[in-house]
Amino acid sequence: MKKIFPFFLVLVLLEIAAMIYIGSAIGFFPTLLLIVATSIAGAYFSKKQGLLVLQKARYQMEHGYVPGEEIMDGLCVLLAGILLIIPGFITDITGLIFLLPFTRTLLKPIISRYLGTIFRNKGFVMMRRF
């Protein structure tokens, strides 16, 4: 918790600075319209990607496989949706990175390692395939 608060404080300050900078370049109303448009588009595309991931996971389970890859995709899409709905340009860019399938492929091993470290440090036992 001690690490999260400074991160969010810096993020909010960077978002405000980005909004002021972009607002001074293109104007107040176009900036406001851009923020609202990215939030709406983010919600739409997150829902679309989320349903696609859910469909793939369902297909994997119907054929007797554990949908591990789809679970990671779902986690990335969920995070992307949250970031895209939050007003701001930095969170929108980050959310877009998590939403696009080809960038998700690059991020999944990093996220998997990070989650594995958290689970090991908290005393969870990771299941392995044999």
Side-chain angles (χ1 to χ4, degrees), residues 61-126:
M61 288 188 291
E62 286 174 356
H63 289 83
Y65 296 104
V66 176
E69 197 73 22
E70 286 73 19
I71 290 171
M72 287 301 295
D73 279 333
L75 184 64
C76 288
V77 169
L78 176 66
L79 183 59
I82 292 168
L83 288 170
L84 286 165
I85 291 172
I86 295 172
F89 296 109
I90 297 169
T91 53
D92 287 345
I93 291 168
T94 308
L96 187 62
I97 290 169
F98 279 99
L99 188 62
L100 297 173
F102 62 89
T103 54
R104 262 199 323 250
T105 304
L106 301 172
L107 290 174
K108 284 189 287 188
I110 297 167
I111 295 169
S112 182
R113 266 194 310 270
Y114 177 72
L115 290 176
T117 303
I118 289 175
F119 288 137
R120 278 190 293 280
N121 289 341
K122 298 292 181 184
F124 292 102
V125 177
M126 299 293 285

Side-chain angles (χ1 to χ4, degrees), residues 8-20 90:
F8 281 117
L9 181 64
V10 169
L11 179 63
V12 168
L13 293 174
L14 288 173
E15 288 286 12
I16 291 170
M19 285 185 203
I20 290 171
I90 297 169

